Amino acid sequence: MNPSTAVAVSGLTVRHRRTVALDRLDLTLGPGVHGLLGPNGAGKTSLIRVLATVAAPSSGRVELLGADATSHRERTAVRRRLGYLPQEFGYYPAFTVREFVAYVAWLKEVPAGRVPEAVERAVRQVGLADRIDARMKTLSGGMVRRAGIAQAIVNEPELLLLDEPTAGLDPEQRVDFRALLRELGTEATVVVSTHLVEDVAAACTDVALIESGRLAFQGTTAELTVLGGESADGDDSTTHAVERGYTAALRAHRAPARDAKEALR
């Protein structure tokens, strides 16, 4: 595995009973902020869960930060080096934000002497410094989400996995969060699964597009934009250009299957 490669999966297959969520997926990711896009049910969350080591693949190879994630010993070690925010996460409502983030720092085996500083840094980065001693049950939905982001970054992870991180954030908070992502991406590999193309356009250096459990496109946001061509109505904003590229990449990926079906008619 290349030292600059944080994620390398090959032939990754994930099955949920009779449903194939990921179908022999190959994907390699290095430092930077990577947007993970795709229609509902495409397999994005299944991929994030495997990368976070909370779900096991049905088959295939998964290497994270140079470690074999299918090995129990190596998987335990790599968990200390990654951060993960699922779409929904649990917490003790009576915990304060400080206690919640400190608890996760303890789980990640952050040295005890570093925990107070690490907690305050993470909470400050997500804009909750003034609520650090508020109980989790008193927070708004957007604040809870920001506390979730804080716990994901408290150990300064080398690999950060975020599943729909901006859900519940207001527009101003989303702008601040995108800036944080760009900052984190200078030192780590950040993977952001989202439905919001504007988040990808504003914060991501690269895009991986998954369709029906397979990789439909991987490249820079600029390359995805080129696929979309020029707007018929003259709207060439970055967000709309990426949206057009997203649609074009999906259609190109679906074309062989559609042509095969038509050939059988």
Side-chain angles (χ1 to χ4, degrees):
M1 185 174 182
N2 189 312
S4 65
T5 301
V7 173
V9 300
S10 57
L12 177 60
T13 298
V14 173
R15 295 185 181 88
H16 302 306
R17 296 184 179 178
R18 296 183 180 180
T19 301
V20 177
L22 295 173
D23 186 9
R24 294 164 292 171
L25 180 74
D26 297 329
L27 182 65
T28 301
L29 301 174
V33 185
H34 305 271
L36 188 60
L37 289 173
N40 289 332
K44 302 188 299 298
T45 292
S46 293
L47 175 59
I48 289 284
R49 285 174 54 81
V50 169
L51 298 184
T53 73
V54 299
S58 302
S59 62
R61 183 166 180 81
V62 181
E63 292 186 39
L64 305 174
L65 302 172
D68 178 3
T70 61
S71 160
H72 176 72
R73 181 179 59 82
E74 294 190 46
R75 184 169 63 245
T76 300
V78 82
R79 283 174 176 163
R80 305 184 190 110
R81 302 166 60 194
L82 61 80
Y84 171 47
L85 175 69
Q87 287 190 42
E88 298 181 5
F89 61 93
Y91 57 87
Y92 293 107
F95 270 17
T96 65
V97 173
R98 186 192 303 273
E99 290 168 340
F100 168 58
V101 180
Y103 174 66
V104 176
W106 174 75
L107 292 176
K108 293 293 180 65
E109 300 184 10
V110 175
R114 287 183 45 219
V115 168
E117 179 185 356
V119 169
E120 291 187 5
R121 171 191 51 78
V123 173
R124 182 174 62 252
Q125 284 182 292
V126 300
L128 280 180
D130 60 336
R131 303 301 302 273
I132 192 168
D133 290 314
R135 297 195 184 279
M136 294 289 292
K137 64 183 178 182
T138 68
L139 302 182
S140 67
M143 289 179 181
V144 168
R145 200 69 183 160
R146 284 188 279 162
I149 297 168
Q151 64 81 26
I153 64 176
V154 68
N155 60 324
E156 298 183 87
E158 297 167 61
L159 173 60
L160 178 60
L161 306 162
L162 305 169
D163 198 355
E164 298 293 346
T166 58
L169 301 186
D170 64 36
E172 182 180 7
Q173 292 164 354
R174 280 169 47 202
V175 169
D176 291 341
F177 175 70
R178 292 168 191 160
L180 174 60
L181 283 183
R182 291 191 294 269
E183 177 186 340
L184 294 170
T186 62
E187 301 288 339
T189 297
V190 183
V191 184
V192 185
S193 174
T194 181
H195 287 92
L196 299 175
V197 175
E198 58 264 39
D199 286 342
V200 172
C204 298
T205 51
D206 295 275
V207 181
L209 174 56
I210 295 179
E211 159 77 346
S212 300
R214 293 190 174 185
L215 189 66
F217 171 88
Q218 184 177 13
T220 66
T221 50
E223 290 170 337
L224 187 60
T225 297
V226 169
L227 287 179
E230 295 184 1
S231 171
D233 59 9
D235 185 353
D236 284 318
S237 67
T238 301
T239 296
H240 287 131
V242 172
E243 286 176 342
R244 292 197 305 275
Y246 167 84
T247 300
L250 278 180
R251 289 174 176 169
H253 179 71
R254 292 167 179 166
R258 184 180 62 246
D259 293 344
K261 286 181 180 179
E262 291 179 354
L264 293 172
R265 289 178 181 175

